[in-house]
Structures are given as C-alpha cells and as structure tokens.
C-alpha cells in the first residue's frame, strides 16, 4: 500500500475519538514518567520490608532507568516494525504485567527484575506515544497545544510520583506504588485503544535485522553511559568501575556513529540529530532531566530529613510546583510558543530555572519551607512549563512519519541519561561538599562542646555530657547536609545559566547564517 493510501487511515479520526486518544496518551505519558520517582519516597519502607541492604537500595530506581535508557533506541525501531497500535498495546500490557510482578515481589531479586522489565516496556511506549501524537494531530496549532499538555504531563509525572508514592506508602503499602500502574493501563486502554489509527506511514517498513550491528552499538552505548553514571553515584567519579563504563560508553558511541555513516539502512540516520532545531531539543531534554531529577532528590531529602515531613507531607510540598508547571505549560503552548518558537522558549525557560536554583541555594538551617523552598519550587515549575511544551515538538521537527518513533526515542534517551547524570553529579557533589563543611567546622564544634561541658560541670562520659555531645554532633551533621543542598542548587544554577547562554548564542548564530 502506498503512503498516500495510508495517510487517511492515520488522520481520519473524529473530534470525539481524538479526545479519547489524547486522554489515553496523556495517561500513558504520566505513567512512564511517574515510575521514575514514585518509589523514591517508598524506599525506606520497601527496604525494611524486603531486607534490602543500603548498597542494593539504589537498584530499585536504577534498574528502571537502565533498561529504559539502554533499550529506547530498540523501542523506536520496534514502533516502526510493529506499527503504532500494536506497539502501544504490547507496551501497555507488558508494563502492567511487570508492575504487578514488582508489587508482588517477595525478594530483592524479583523486584529488580520486574523493575527492569518495566523499563523495557517503557522504552517501547515512550517513542510510540509521541509517534501517535504526530500521526493523529497533523494541524500545527492543534499539535502545539497537545505537546503543551504533554510538556505539563512530563514534569507533573515526576512531581506527582513523589506525592502519590508518599500517600500510598503512608495509607496502604509501598506495593501500591507499583499496583497503581495496572489501573492506569486499564483506564488508558479502555478510553482510547480502539480509536488508535490502525496503520501509519512506514508501519511494518524494514526488518528487525536491518543494521543490527548499529542497533547493538547504540543500545550498548546508552547502557554503558547510564550504568557508568550509576557507578559514579555509588562510588564516586574516580573509581575504576565508573571510568571504565563511561569510557566504554564513549567508545561504543563513536563506533555507533561510524557505523551509521556506512550502513545502508541505518538504525539512526545521522541527518536526524544533525538538524539544529532537533539537536537543541535533545540537548534541552538532557539538561531538563538532569536538573529535574537532581533537584527533586535534594528537595525530597531536605523536606524529610531536615524539616521532618512524613512521606505524604513531602509529596504535598511539591503540589505548588506541579500547579505552576501545568498552568505555565498550557498557557505557553497556546500563546508563547507560536510567537517565540523553540529558539526563544528554551533559553527563557532555562533562565527562569536558573532563578529558581538561585532562590533554593539560599536555604539555611533556620529557613522555613515557606520562605525559601516554596517560592523556589514554584519558579522552577514555571521554568519547566516553558521548556517542556517545545522540546517534544522540536524533537520531531520536520521528521518524516516513518522516523517519528526514532526521533521520539532520542528524546526519551536524552531525558533518561540526563536524569542519571543529574542524580550522579548532585549526589557526589553534595557528598563531597558536605564532608568538607563538616571537616572545616569540626574544630569549632569541639571548642563549643568543651565550653558547654565546662559550663555545665559535666564530663564527656556523663549522661549530661553525652547529651551535649550528641546535640552538637547532630547539629553539625544537619548543617553539613543543608550546606550540601545549598551548594548543589548553586551548581545547578551555574549549569542551567551556562546552557541558556550557549542556547542563545547558538540561536543567534543560526539566524545570522540563515540570513546570509
């Protein structure tokens, strides 16, 4: 069948059907992003229930992102080979089954295996989801509006994961943080499954074996980089394992590019990421993933460890961020994106995010949530709402429909690798700065302890003396953590500001070149 003949099958959907498709796709997008953070708050309860060690704990999160980031290129290939409707249903049902297995897991091994399976099916769902948006909504203004909703959902899912995970853990069990996906999948399939286009241009085109070497190199590069970032989070950037995996990722990436230049049917045509608009979108997704996950981890520990919030209260603390993100993304998608385009929206969003990190960097031992964290998170939500709507659209800018799934896969890969990079960078940086702060203030704390012991007439071994020492030690530890959080937000402000400047320079240079 020709492409001209298949086009009506893609676009011939009524207004009611398209609304159901949008609802189904938004639910799926929410679920994919939700599972990046929903288990974070539940980790302490999960760890105690299954007897997981501190070294094993991070794998509950890493197994998902590792499979997702490592296989998302393969997911983009399957979207084309299987067709959008079939890929969507397989991804949905597989994700639900993996979520159910994770919720029922009796041991650490079963849980991590199920989380990896979740990531595998998410790697198929993510490119399929965006490919369906491009296939169903061909009118630019309407598609911009849908991408605005997707942009809000992408940021909302990460924040909502903290709230929902905290509420389910407090009220039911950590297992319900995984069971909830079964309900989301059921609703999504019931609402929009039968309204999905039967075929799209390029569905079924190609073979699984086309450029198999390139596919293996690309997936291997993504896997090695994500795993190397996990090793950096666990042991630091200078460990042998971290260096080895990151170097392996770089070597595989170079080999992948070389292979794609020679392949007759490349898994990633190099014209796809070489376009300036699309390249900017992929870079923005990476930076957004790093800033979002890095800041969420820091804020989660701040409100629970320092402010003493319960899991559900900690989740509620992110509601203002979510509200700001949703309102900004929807408004930006309708009014600002048509006027400024990606070249204006992304630097503007980064600049707003830099302001939010500057606000958050002022956090101190005696500061309240309302004075620093609340305005900082609201401004951060506004920044996310400005960037998210345009990255999804720009990432598939002028891409033929048969390659939409692949372009969408690159967006997902950039977000996952960026999130892993942000967590690894902020974790190691916060650990080092916190340790340095404690070491530099240890003498002053000891001097204060000696003075207070003398004033109280107590010895270090007495109950009163031990209470004084414990209070001062806890105070130093708390001050060290707060200094680590503050320094982390300062680092994020520098990264995002630098990204905004580079983006502005690139946009101006590109416009000048086009003008010539």
């Amino acid at each position: 069948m020709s492409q001209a003949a298949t086009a009506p099958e893609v676009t011939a959907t009524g207004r009611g059907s398209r609304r159901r498709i949008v609802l189904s796709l938004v639910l799926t997008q929410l679920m994919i992003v939700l599972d990046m953070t929903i288990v974070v708050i539940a980790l302490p309860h999960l760890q105690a229930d299954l007897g997981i060690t501190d070294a094993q704990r991070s794998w509950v999160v890493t197994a998902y992102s590792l499979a997702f980031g490592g296989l998302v290129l393969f997911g983009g290939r399957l979207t084309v080979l299987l067709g959008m409707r079939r890929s969507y249903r397989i991804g949905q049902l597989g994700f639900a089954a993996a979520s159910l297995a994770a919720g029922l897991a009796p041991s650490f091994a079963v849980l991590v295996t199920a989380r990896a399976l979740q990531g595998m099916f998410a790697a198929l769902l993510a490119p399929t989801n965006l490919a369906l948006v491009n296939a169903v909504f061909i009118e630019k203004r309407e598609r911009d509006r849908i991408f605005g909703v997707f942009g809000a959902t992408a940021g909302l899912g990460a924040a909502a994961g903290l709230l929902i995970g905290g509420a389910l853990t407090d009220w039911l069990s950590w297992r319900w943080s995984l069971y909830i996906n079964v309900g989301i999948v059921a609703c999504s399939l019931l609402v929009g499954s039968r309204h999905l286009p039967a075929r799209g241009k390029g569905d079924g085109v190609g073979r699984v074996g086309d450029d198999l070497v390139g596919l293996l190199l690309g997936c291997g590069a993504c896997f090695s980089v994500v795993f190397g970032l996990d090793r950096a989070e666990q042991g630091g950037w200078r460990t042998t394992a971290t260096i080895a995996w990151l170097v392996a990722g770089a070597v595989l990436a170079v080999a992948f590019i070389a292979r794609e230049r020679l392949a007759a049917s490349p898994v990633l045509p190099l014209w796809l990421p070489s376009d300036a608009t699309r390249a900017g979108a992929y870079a923005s997704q990476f930076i957004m993933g790093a800033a979002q996950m890095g800041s969420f981890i820091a804020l989660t520990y701040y409100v629970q460890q320092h402010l003493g919030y319960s899991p559900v209260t900690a989740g509620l603390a992110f509601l203002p961020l979510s509200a700001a993100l949703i309102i900004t993304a929807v408004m930006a998608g309708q009014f600002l994106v048509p006027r400024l385009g990606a070249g204006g929206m992304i630097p503007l969003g980064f600049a707003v995010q830099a302001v939010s990190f500057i606000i958050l960097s002022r956090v101190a031992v005696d500061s309240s949530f309302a004075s620093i964290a609340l305005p900082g998170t609201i401004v951060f939500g506004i920044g996310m709402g400005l960037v998210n709507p345009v990255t999804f659209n720009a990432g598939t800018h002028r891409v033929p429909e048969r390659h939409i799934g692949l372009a969408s896969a690159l967006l997902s890969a950039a977000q996952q690798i960026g999130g892993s990079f942000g967590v690894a960078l902020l974790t190691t940086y916060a650990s080092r700065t916190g340790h340095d702060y404690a070491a530099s203030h240890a003498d002053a704390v000891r001097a204060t302890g000696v003075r207070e012991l003398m004033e109280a007439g107590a010895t270090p071994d007495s109950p009163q003396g031990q209470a004084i020492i414990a209070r001062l030690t806890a105070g130093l530890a708390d001050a060290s953590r707060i200094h680590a959080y503050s320094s982390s937000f300062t680092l994020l402000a520098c990264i995002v500001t630098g990204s905004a400047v580079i983006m502005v320079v690139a946009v101006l240079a590109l416009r000048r070149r086009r003008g010539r």
Side-chain angles (χ1 to χ4, degrees):
M1 184 177 293
S2 67
Q3 287 188 355
T6 61
E9 293 184 83
V10 175
T11 60
T13 51
R15 183 179 298 272
S17 297
R18 287 190 294 179
R19 287 177 178 173
R20 294 185 183 94
I21 291 173
V22 169
L23 180 57
S24 178
L25 299 181
V26 166
L27 284 172
T28 300
Q29 184 70 16
L30 178 65
M31 178 182 68
I32 292 170
V33 182
L34 195 75
D35 268 64
M36 293 170 60
T37 58
I38 195 169
V39 299
V40 170
I41 286 183
L43 274 177
H45 296 265
L46 182 156
Q47 184 178 2
D49 190 19
L50 296 182
I52 296 174
T53 66
D54 289 341
Q56 294 173 329
R57 180 179 58 194
S58 66
W59 276 100
V60 178
V61 177
T62 302
Y64 180 81
S65 60
L66 195 61
F68 194 161
L71 294 173
V72 73
L73 280 178
F74 186 60
R77 165 64 65 86
L78 286 181
T79 299
V80 175
L81 295 177
L82 299 176
M84 289 180 291
R85 179 190 287 183
R86 189 182 301 172
S87 297
Y88 191 70
R89 289 176 175 173
I90 292 173
Q92 290 272 29
L93 294 174
F95 198 96
S99 299
L100 181 62
L104 294 171
S107 65
F108 168 73
V110 176
L111 176 63
V112 169
T113 301
R115 286 286 288 169
L117 288 172
Q118 279 185 305
M120 289 172 57
F121 286 107
L124 176 61
L125 276 176
T128 303
N129 224 30
L130 291 185
L132 282 165
V133 172
N134 279 278
V136 175
F137 303 96
I138 60 173
E139 200 275 319
K140 185 180 185 303
R141 189 171 185 85
E142 184 180 31
R143 186 162 56 187
D144 287 347
R145 186 168 62 251
I146 300 302
F147 276 122
V149 175
F150 261 61
T153 305
L156 174 64
L162 301 173
L163 171 60
I164 297 172
L168 292 174
T169 301
D170 264 2
W171 299 338
L172 296 170
S173 163
W174 64 266
R175 296 180 184 275
W176 283 93
S177 298
L178 297 157
Y179 293 151
I180 190 175
N181 293 323
V182 179
I184 295 175
V185 167
C187 291
S188 179
L189 290 176
L190 287 173
V191 167
S193 179
R194 70 186 183 90
H195 299 282
L196 297 175
R199 294 182 61 83
K201 296 175 185 176
D203 278 6
V205 174
R207 298 170 299 172
V208 176
D210 286 346
D211 193 20
L212 185 59
V213 173
L215 186 62
L216 293 175
L217 287 172
C219 291
C222 291
F223 179 92
S224 299
V225 170
V226 174
F227 191 77
L229 292 172
D230 174 73
R231 294 301 87 196
E233 179 187 351
Q234 298 299 317
W237 293 91
R238 298 180 181 179
T239 61
T240 302
T242 299
I243 296 172
W245 280 103
L246 291 179
V247 169
V251 171
L252 288 172
V254 171
F256 173 68
I257 293 173
R259 167 65 186 179
E260 298 312 276
R261 286 182 176 275
L262 301 174
S265 179
V267 66
L268 176 61
L270 294 182
W271 56 262
L272 191 60
S274 63
D275 176 81
T277 301
R278 292 192 293 270
Y282 303 144
S284 299
Q285 276 290 86
F286 177 89
I287 297 164
M288 280 291 297
Q292 179 176 291
M293 289 302 296
S295 60
F296 279 3
I297 294 292
L299 285 168
T300 299
Y301 278 98
Y302 168 70
V303 297
Q304 289 197 69
Q305 289 188 345
H306 180 69
L307 299 181
Y309 287 5
S310 67
V312 66
T313 306
L316 288 170
F318 286 90
L319 276 182
L321 182 153
S322 302
L325 189 155
I326 293 172
I327 295 171
T328 304
V330 173
M331 298 295 288
Q334 291 184 358
F335 301 109
L336 292 180
V337 174
R339 293 171 174 81
L340 299 179
M345 291 292 294
I346 294 176
L348 175 62
F350 283 170
V352 173
Q353 287 183 27
V355 172
S356 75
F357 292 135
I358 292 172
I359 296 172
L360 290 170
S361 68
R362 297 176 59 244
V363 66
V365 173
D366 56 351
S367 61
S368 64
F369 178 81
S371 63
I372 301 296
L374 180 59
T377 53
I378 290 175
V379 176
F380 182 50
I382 294 172
M384 292 174 65
L386 292 172
V387 176
N388 280 345
V390 294
T391 54
F392 289 102
N393 202 357
T396 55
H397 176 68
R398 293 180 180 176
V399 175
E401 189 173 317
R402 63 168 296 185
H403 290 104
I404 288 291
L406 180 57
S408 305
L410 291 179
L411 285 170
S412 300
Q415 183 184 37
Q416 286 296 317
I417 296 175
S420 298
F421 175 77
V423 172
L425 178 63
L426 268 294
T427 299
T428 53
Y429 183 76
S431 176
R432 181 171 61 83
T433 54
H435 181 270
D436 291 345
Y437 180 91
S440 63
H441 288 74
D443 290 340
V445 171
R446 278 193 290 268
T448 302
V450 171
R451 186 180 68 252
E452 291 192 13
L453 288 172
M454 292 178 63
E455 291 174 353
T459 63
D461 296 332
S462 65
Q464 186 179 8
Q466 290 180 350
I468 291 173
I469 294 172
R471 174 172 55 80
L472 292 174
T473 302
L476 178 60
D478 189 45
S480 300
R481 285 194 295 266
I482 296 300
H483 178 75
Y485 301 147
S486 175
S487 300
S488 298
F489 290 126
T490 301
L491 176 62
L492 282 174
C494 294
I495 292 174
V496 177
T497 300
S499 301
V501 172
I502 292 172
M503 189 71 69
V504 169
V505 172
V507 170
L508 293 177
L510 181 62
R511 288 179 178 176
R512 184 177 180 182
R513 180 180 177 183
R514 287 175 177 173
R516 288 178 177 176

